[in-house]
Amino acid sequence: MESNELALAMSGSALEVEGSGKTEEQVLKRAIAGDRLAFDQIVLQYERRVLITAWRLLGSKEDSQDAAQEVFLRLYRYLDHFDEKRPLLPWLYRMTVNVCHDLYRKRRQDSTLAAAEVDWTTLTYDPGVEITRSEQRRIIKAAIKTLTEKERAAVVLRDIEGLTTKDVAGVLGSSETTVRSQISMARVKIRKFVDRFEKRRL
Amino acid sequence: MNCLDFEKLIALDIEGDLPELKAEKLGAHLKACRNCREFKDELRASQAMLKSLAEESAEEAVLEEVRGRVLEGIAAEAKPPRFLAWRFAVGAALVTTAIVAAVTLWRPRTPLQVARISQPPMQEHPDVGTRQRGQDGGATASETPAPQRGGEKQASPEVTRAASKASERPPARTEKAEHVVRRQKQSQAPLAAHLEPPQPEPLTVKFMTDDPNVVIYWQVD
């Protein structure tokens, strides 16, 4: 989904559900009326986004699968309370953040990866060899794990998912000022984490 | 403001999240501070690394697994369509209202009364008086109230207790309840009564209800 499509989806404009030939509103309306096929279309449309977001928030493939499953089951349970005119994506993001928060709390001791626990030995230390893209990503993922939950949610939604600060505030139920502060702190922390890694290489 | 404060502004400015007024202030500082300019360059690099995560995607097999688990979960929770849920809710509301109305409006028209016993006068055995004294807190046989006019007698404490126990029960269908307590026919042989202490006499409590087909008997030893 391109960023302009994402903006449309967040603002609730009519966005075609892949392969269905219908807008999200129409599909959602049918799903609310009990049409299982329509609900399956919604799952197909959003499963990748929900799963990836959960993965970034939790840092674990298995946990993110559990989280994605829970998000869609909650969607199914609460379909009756939905207004089909409202966009679904912000709700899905909010639910993903909430479910990940619950899972994170449940498995806090395992999933929290402090800077000292990063497996530095598996990274390239030869200053003459440029670190690969996959290594860069591993470093960034390790850096994300050092953030607080709120900072992580804010920076994942803003910088990786590409939401606007206003949309992030809406999803997290915070003010834009609070979100800006969290994003700012997160970016600085990530920068400093990468800096520590680069100093180890030298 | 020191450089640490400006770092936070740089972190916002780098993605266009800084309000215009603060951006101008930051611009002025950056012109004069080399360290902050370097920090901005480094931050730009780490932001590029961070944003590169957006290129990652989930494998189709993983997505299929999640989809399968979701559909399994939904099948387990299979719920009726919305219109059926509405019908169920309306039905449940009507039944609840009817029960509440019935409980609120229903009142027994005749209060429960302790039964009076119709029985012929009987001669008390001394042992019986002793037993009654023990049970009744000192009442002797001679203190036992005399039979009432017409051969009626007030219910003995035992009978009264039995009847009061009965009155503690929920008064279902006891409108115009009439309680008749009978002693079973006693032995007519006074000699036998003197020879052996009388056995506790079973009491039968009869509850009459509005419905002639429903009569409740309650036997007490």
Side-chain angles (χ1 to χ4, degrees), chain A residues 32-34 36 39-40 43-44 47-48 51-52 55-56 61 65-66 68-69 72-73 76-81 131 133 136-137 139-141 144 155 158-160 165 180 183-185 187-188 190-192 194-195, chain B residues 4 7-9 11-19 39 42-43 45-67 69-71 73-75 77-79 81-82 85:
Chain A
I32 291 170
R36 275 287 304 279
F39 183 79
D40 292 353
V43 175
L44 272 170
E47 61 182 357
R48 191 179 298 272
L51 182 70
I52 288 285
W55 200 336
R56 284 165 189 151
K61 182 178 168 184
Q65 284 179 294
D66 290 345
Q69 178 190 355
F72 285 111
L73 285 177
Y76 182 75
R77 286 181 204 130
Y78 300 129
L79 264 181
D80 288 349
H81 306 285
I131 60 170
R133 203 156 179 82
Q136 282 183 358
R137 286 177 184 165
I139 295 164
I140 290 293
K141 282 176 187 172
I144 289 173
V155 84
R158 175 72 183 93
D159 288 344
I160 305 176
T165 306
R180 272 198 208 96
I183 289 170
S184 166
M185 287 295 295
R187 288 172 183 165
V188 171
I190 290 170
R191 171 61 236 161
K192 290 186 174 174
V194 173
D195 192 42
Chain B
L4 280 177
E7 279 184 0
K8 292 173 189 169
L9 297 186
L12 290 176
D13 186 51
I14 201 116
E15 298 292 348
D17 293 318
L18 195 63
F39 181 79
E42 290 166 359
L43 197 62
S46 65
Q47 278 298 106
M49 288 165 74
L50 178 64
K51 287 185 165 186
S52 74
L53 292 183
E55 296 165 13
E56 284 188 322
S57 187
E59 297 163 17
E60 192 55 38
V62 176
L63 290 171
E64 276 177 19
E65 190 183 332
V66 171
R67 204 179 307 141
R69 284 162 60 175
V70 169
L71 298 180
I74 289 171
E77 293 186 8
K79 63 178 186 180
R82 203 179 192 182

Side-chain angles (χ1 to χ4, degrees), chain B residues 129-158:
Chain B
T130 308
R131 181 172 57 83
Q132 284 182 342
R133 185 168 56 246
Q135 290 178 349
D136 303 334
T140 61
S142 60
E143 291 166 345
T144 304
Q148 304 262 326
R149 257 186 298 171
E152 282 190 358
K153 174 187 171 185
Q154 276 194 335
S156 74
E158 191 175 281

Side-chain angles (χ1 to χ4, degrees), chain A residues 1-101:
Chain A
M1 197 182 283
E2 297 300 324
S3 59
N4 58 340
E5 287 181 333
L6 180 64
L8 280 172
M10 293 295 290
S11 67
S13 302
L15 186 67
E16 187 183 323
V17 173
E18 278 174 19
S20 69
K22 291 182 166 41
T23 62
E24 180 186 291
E25 186 181 326
Q26 290 170 318
V27 175
L28 191 55
K29 196 173 181 178
R30 279 172 43 213
I32 291 170
D35 185 341
R36 275 287 304 279
L37 205 62
F39 183 79
D40 292 353
Q41 281 178 355
I42 290 173
V43 175
L44 272 170
Q45 173 79 6
Y46 293 110
E47 61 182 357
R48 191 179 298 272
R49 187 164 290 274
V50 169
L51 182 70
I52 288 285
T53 306
W55 200 336
R56 284 165 189 151
L57 292 174
L58 293 167
S60 154
K61 182 178 168 184
E62 290 74 24
D63 287 349
S64 63
Q65 284 179 294
D66 290 345
Q69 178 190 355
E70 181 61 23
V71 168
F72 285 111
L73 285 177
R74 286 191 191 183
L75 170 65
Y76 182 75
R77 286 181 204 130
Y78 300 129
L79 264 181
D80 288 349
H81 306 285
F82 264 97
D83 176 2
E84 64 264 18
K85 291 187 175 64
R86 298 188 70 180
L88 186 56
L89 192 56
W91 187 92
L92 283 172
Y93 273 130
R94 192 178 310 126
M95 197 49 61
T96 305
V97 170
N98 290 345
V99 168
C100 288
H101 170 79

